Amino acid sequence: MPTPAWRQYTVEFSNPVAAEQIAATVLTPALAAAQDDGVLRGWWSVRKYPSWRWRYVADDPSSHLFEDLLETLAVDERIVNWTNGIYEPERLAFGGSAGMHIAHRLPIGGLGPTRLRRPPAEVAARSPDPIQIFRSEPISAREFA
């Protein structure tokens, strides 16, 4: 199976408070909506001070949705700078290729402020696997083979 083409964007904010606010109210909802519309699948972000890295897989390789949004934020001076780059999975940090495969399959984008849905306490208590808590369907071993 071919490896999906993850896109990576490094976004620099003017200050940490602005970063949190823009991530929660602009970037996360935009990526969640794009995922709902089938423009992309799977996205996540990581903070690497002084910037954030946003990563996603576009279903439409010609889509410039995220770049257009970042450019608008730059023109509005809500971000200082943004660049696109090559995403290099941190396999060692995730325990090797199998761990990286699992990490890419998790619904990380679903953990954004517009999507976080914790299950009732009784469901969480029955699930020994913390990953299961945030999934609506069980994870099978086949998914990671």
Side-chain angles (χ1 to χ4, degrees):
M1 172 192 317
T3 302
W6 285 87
R7 295 182 180 188
Q8 175 174 291
Y9 298 88
T10 302
V11 181
E12 296 177 44
F13 297 91
S14 56
N15 65 62
V17 174
E20 294 288 337
Q21 190 268 337
I22 293 166
T25 62
V26 179
L27 296 172
T28 295
L31 286 169
Q35 186 168 348
D36 288 344
D37 293 342
V39 175
L40 62 92
R41 64 190 141 91
W43 65 268
W44 54 288
S45 64
V46 62
R47 297 174 216 178
K48 298 251 183 172
Y49 185 80
S51 59
W52 288 39
R53 294 182 186 161
W54 294 82
R55 297 161 176 165
Y56 70 89
V57 177
D59 281 339
D60 176 3
S62 66
S63 171
H64 295 285
L65 177 128
F66 200 61
E67 293 94 331
D68 294 344
L69 177 58
L70 293 175
E71 194 57 35
T72 298
L73 291 171
V75 168
D76 292 346
E77 298 181 355
R78 297 182 72 193
I79 63 173
V80 175
N81 189 31
W82 69 272
T83 57
N84 61 343
I86 297 171
Y87 169 59
E88 297 178 10
E90 298 178 42
R91 285 181 178 84
L92 185 60
F94 285 89
S97 294
M100 196 77 255
H101 182 71
I102 291 169
H104 282 150
R105 299 276 305 187
L106 292 175
I108 300 299
L111 298 179
T114 61
R115 297 252 190 130
L116 180 60
R117 289 183 207 94
R118 285 196 175 268
E122 63 274 8
V123 173
R126 286 192 317 255
S127 179
D129 182 355
I131 295 169
Q132 294 275 350
I133 292 173
F134 291 101
R135 291 184 57 106
S136 59
E137 72 278 351
I139 297 175
S140 71
R142 294 189 308 272
E143 290 183 73
F144 305 113

